[in-house]
């Protein structure tokens, strides 16, 4: 009976799904919002069930786990990099029939059937699309918190960051600080202790609260790690170009600590703002579940950190993902006599041929030659192969290089291979994109996916 239902379902939906170089037409049997571990697990289960789920990855493919340099508590893996783990999971999901769309969700409407999901491209063009779905799994996780203190935003990307795995290599043999007292702070400090000369950890309370006891003990044993308890960071100090330290209040007394870099590890907030009118949320913004992973709307499920204020583990998100996938299968099966839905809109996404016009720099002399001989403005991407956000920026630059061929030159610099070059341009965080004029003078620089996307959008022809 299930095979009949599956064939009937796919006969309706799959003729209007084509994802060669990412085309989407609606409706879809199931759409997954987010690209982290929970999402990838749901995609695997639903793909193996023959439902060909569509995963809208959002701005951080692989989720926050990609920022973990090492994962040691994933079953079956003694140790693995977070990005490597999510890459393997995505490859497995794709092999089983899942499809991935490189866009972000900006609006949902769960009041009609099929559900309406509005997405926007991440190439700087700002194009919006409508996707319709018979069911939906929300796996959009959380976003890091900020202190909201003087100097924090001013020096963001100039020494202030929230990703040790992305930016840690820039602080080799330097002095850095980490603020926070939970598992995230412990992991960041441990990673940085193997790179930086000294690591200061600023803890607001009287102890570390990380649940990973082994890691806490390992951190306490590090001779180059200095913990300061009852420490409240009040200001990030800088010289106009880079971070030079922080001002603290410890036990009611102010003091300054000289630093080259400052890492935030102070928790996160669920990415649930767009669901405030669509679903029931709790007081902290987490999506409320009614039955297993089902939300207040039938056919809509939520998984991972966006529903979990307590555990926030990759393995628990994966468990959520498996349960939600099984619930979706049952939900669609129960509705098999109501599967034929009227299409309320239609869109076509043309295939875009992306040619590799971004020039990889292999030496400092090559870089200066490319800059000097350009004759047009130059965009330079400072990246690292293990940096998750950098992987998201790369296809945006490829796309822009095609559209701006002959008008703007695009270069990319691997900061690990050309550390002296990146240091000479005071690169403090990744990804960093620097725009030069036709004479090689720096015009502006942007740090992080959002800022870089805005810059590329500004460069696009009207």
């Amino acid at each position: 009976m299930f095979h009949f239902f599956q064939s009937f379902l796919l006969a309706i939906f799959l003729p209007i799904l084509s994802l060669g170089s990412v085309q989407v037409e609606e409706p879809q049997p199931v759409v997954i919002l987010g690209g982290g571990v929970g999402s990838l697990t749901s995609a695997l289960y639903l793909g193996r069930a023959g439902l060909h789920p569509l995963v809208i990855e959002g701005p951080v493919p692989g989720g926050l786990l990609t920022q973990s340099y090492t994962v040691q508590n994933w079953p079956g893996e003694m140790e693995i990099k977070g990005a490597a783990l999510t890459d393997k999971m995505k490859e497995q999901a794709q092999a089983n029939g899942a499809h991935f769309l490189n866009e972000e969700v900006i609006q949902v409407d769960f009041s009609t059937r099929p559900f309406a999901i509005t997405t926007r491209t991440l190439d700087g063009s700002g194009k919006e699309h409508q996707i319709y779905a018979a069911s939906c799994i929300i796996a959009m996780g959380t976003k890091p918190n900020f202190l909201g203190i003087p100097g924090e935003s001013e020096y963001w990307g100039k020494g202030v960051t929230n990703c040790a795995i992305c930016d840690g290599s820039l602080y080799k043999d330097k002095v850095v600080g980490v603020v926070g007292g939970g598992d995230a702070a412990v992991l960041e400090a441990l990673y940085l202790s193997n790179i930086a000369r000294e690591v200061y950890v600023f803890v607001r309370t009287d102890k570390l609260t990380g649940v990973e006891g082994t890691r806490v003990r390992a951190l306490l044993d590090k001779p180059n790690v200095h913990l300061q308890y009852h420490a409240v960071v009040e200001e990030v100090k800088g010289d106009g170009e880079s971070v030079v330290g922080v001002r603290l209040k410890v036990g009611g007394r102010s003091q300054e600590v000289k630093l080259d870099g400052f890492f935030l590890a102070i928790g996160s907030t669920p990415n649930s703002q767009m669901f405030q009118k669509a679903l029931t949320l709790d007081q902290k913004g987490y999506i409320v579940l009614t039955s297993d992973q089902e939300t207040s709307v039938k056919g809509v499920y939520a998984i991972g950190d966006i529903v979990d204020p307590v555990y926030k583990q990759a393995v628990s998100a994966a468990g959520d993902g498996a349960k939600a996938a099984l619930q979706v299968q049952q939900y669609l099966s129960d509705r098999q006599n109501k599967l034929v839905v009227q299409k309320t809109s239609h869109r076509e996404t043309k295939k875009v041929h992306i040619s590799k016009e971004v020039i990889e720099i292999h030496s400092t002399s090559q870089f200066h030659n490319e800059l000097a001989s350009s004759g047009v403005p130059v965009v330079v991407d400072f990246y690292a192969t293990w940096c998750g956000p950098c992987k998201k920026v790369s296809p945006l630059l490829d796309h822009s290089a095609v559209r701006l061929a002959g008008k703007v030159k695009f270069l990319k610099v691997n900061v690990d291979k050309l550390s002296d070059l990146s240091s000479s341009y005071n690169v403090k965080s990744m990804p960093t994109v620097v725009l030069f004029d036709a004479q090689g003078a720096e015009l502006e620089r942007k740090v992080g996916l959002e800022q870089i996307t805005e810059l590329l959008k500004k460069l696009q022809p009207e």
Side-chain angles (χ1 to χ4, degrees), residues 155 157-162 167-168 170-172 174-179 192 196 198-202 236-237 242-246 257-264 428-429:
Y155 290 101
K158 300 177 182 179
V160 178
T161 180
N162 58 13
D167 305 325
L170 302 174
Y171 297 92
K172 183 174 175 60
K174 296 184 179 181
V175 181
V176 300
V178 177
V179 59
L192 290 167
E198 291 184 273
V199 179
Y200 288 88
V201 182
F202 307 117
V236 177
K237 310 287 285 187
S242 305
V243 167
V244 299
V246 294
V257 178
K258 293 182 178 180
L259 301 173
D260 298 300
F262 182 54
F263 291 78
L264 307 177
K428 297 288 187 180
S429 185

Side-chain angles (χ1 to χ4, degrees), residues 161-343:
T161 180
N162 58 13
C163 180
I165 188 174
C166 302
D167 305 325
S169 66
L170 302 174
Y171 297 92
K172 183 174 175 60
D173 298 326
K174 296 184 179 181
V175 181
V176 300
V178 177
V179 59
D183 285 320
V186 171
L187 190 59
E188 297 278 278
L190 268 176
Y191 175 73
L192 290 167
S193 70
N194 296 319
I195 300 171
R197 184 173 75 252
E198 291 184 273
V199 179
Y200 288 88
V201 182
F202 307 117
V203 185
R204 181 182 289 270
T205 61
D206 61 350
K207 63 180 179 179
L208 293 170
T209 58
V211 298
E212 288 271 355
T214 301
R215 283 178 174 162
V216 170
R217 289 189 294 273
L219 183 67
L220 295 174
D221 289 339
K222 289 280 187 176
N224 64 332
V225 174
H226 314 288
L227 285 96
Q228 289 195 291
Y229 298 105
H230 300 291
V232 178
V233 182
E234 295 186 322
E235 182 183 2
V236 177
K237 310 287 285 187
D239 59 7
E241 295 293 330
S242 305
V243 167
V244 299
V246 294
R247 178 169 58 85
L248 308 172
K249 182 170 284 186
V250 182
R253 299 179 61 183
S254 291
Q255 66 179 76
E256 291 190 7
V257 178
K258 293 182 178 180
L259 301 173
D260 298 300
F262 182 54
F263 291 78
L264 307 177
I266 52 173
S268 57
T269 301
N271 289 314
S272 59
Q273 293 83 353
M274 75 175 67
F275 306 112
Q276 287 180 346
K277 295 182 180 180
L279 301 172
T280 300
L281 309 180
D282 69 12
Q283 292 182 343
K284 294 184 178 180
Y286 291 92
I287 296 175
V288 174
L289 302 178
T290 57
S291 175
D292 291 324
Q293 304 308 131
E294 189 172 57
T295 69
S296 55
V297 175
K298 292 287 185 182
V300 178
Y301 306 85
I303 63 177
D305 288 3
I306 201 168
V307 301
D308 178 11
V310 179
Y311 300 105
K312 296 183 179 296
Q313 298 294 305
V315 71
S316 59
D320 288 352
K323 289 188 290 183
L326 295 172
Q327 285 185 279
V328 165
Q329 292 177 52
Q330 186 61 53
Y331 171 77
L332 293 176
S333 179
D334 290 345
R335 295 180 68 243
Q336 63 178 306
N337 294 323
K338 302 177 183 178
L339 285 174
V340 181
V341 294
Q342 182 177 356
K343 290 176 62 177

